[in-house]
């Protein structure tokens, strides 16, 4: 299931950087990548000529002919970086995560900390089986 989720996140991030992060419920990164992408479009692409284009192919022609290669590279790099970041986050490799260092139970699917009052993970919505009252998890010294 995580590969399908990663592919969906990559596809969304390529279409609109930040959208893949929103699917992962990483709101701040989603807004940051979306804002950076929209700001780079406003700075590097010729808005007047794009507005005058009569079709998508006309807009693509304007972008390729009227935009410097360096400007195209910057916009492409933002798209690529957002897709790679969203992919790693969807696969469970967030930078700065504390795997195994947190107190309390963690989700067996995504590894994030759980709210003990809920019967599902509020991060990935995996249904959790209730713990039997007589059994306790073994603790490592």
């Amino acid at each position: 299931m995580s590969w399908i989720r990663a592919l969906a996140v990559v596809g969304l991030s390529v279409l609109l950087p930040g959208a893949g992060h929103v699917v992962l419920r990483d709101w701040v990164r989603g807004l940051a990548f979306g804002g950076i992408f929209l700001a780079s479009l406003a700075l590097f692409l010729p808005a007047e000529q794009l507005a005058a284009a009569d079709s998508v192919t006309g807009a693509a022609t304007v972008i390729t002919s009227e935009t410097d290669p360096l400007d195209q590279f910057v916009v492409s790099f933002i798209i690529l970086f957002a897709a790679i970041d969203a992919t790693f986050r969807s696969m469970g490799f967030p930078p700065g995560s504390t795997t195994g260092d947190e107190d309390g139970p963690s989700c067996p699917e995504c590894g994030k900390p759980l709210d003990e009052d809920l019967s599902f993970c509020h991060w990935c919505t995996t249904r959790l089986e209730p713990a039997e009252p007589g059994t306790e998890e073994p603790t490592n010294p």
Side-chain angles (χ1 to χ4, degrees):
M1 184 66 176
S2 62
W3 284 100
I4 295 171
R5 180 176 164 182
L7 289 174
V9 165
V10 168
L12 286 172
S13 290
V14 168
L15 291 176
L16 179 64
H21 291 88
V22 170
V23 169
L24 296 173
R25 297 184 191 114
D26 196 352
W27 308 111
V28 175
R29 280 185 179 262
L31 287 173
F33 276 113
I36 291 170
F37 177 68
L38 292 176
S40 69
L41 290 180
L43 288 173
F44 297 124
L45 297 183
E48 301 85 23
Q49 295 171 346
L50 285 176
D54 56 351
S55 66
V56 174
T57 56
T61 305
V62 167
I63 290 172
T64 56
S65 64
E66 299 294 326
T67 307
D68 294 334
L70 182 62
D71 296 342
Q72 293 175 4
F73 173 76
V74 169
V75 173
S76 300
F77 180 77
I78 293 169
I79 294 169
L80 179 66
F81 186 69
I84 290 172
D85 185 62
T87 303
F88 280 128
R89 291 191 164 272
S90 69
M91 296 300 291
F93 301 113
S97 70
T98 56
T99 55
D101 294 341
E102 298 187 17
D103 295 332
S106 62
C107 176
E109 185 69 26
C110 68
K112 293 188 178 180
L114 293 173
D115 186 357
E116 295 176 5
D117 297 333
L118 298 176
S119 62
F120 63 94
C121 174
H122 64 281
W123 297 101
C124 66
T125 66
T126 300
R127 189 169 274 312
L128 304 170
E129 296 180 18
E132 296 180 20
T135 61
E136 291 186 20
E137 294 182 18
T139 58
N140 293 333

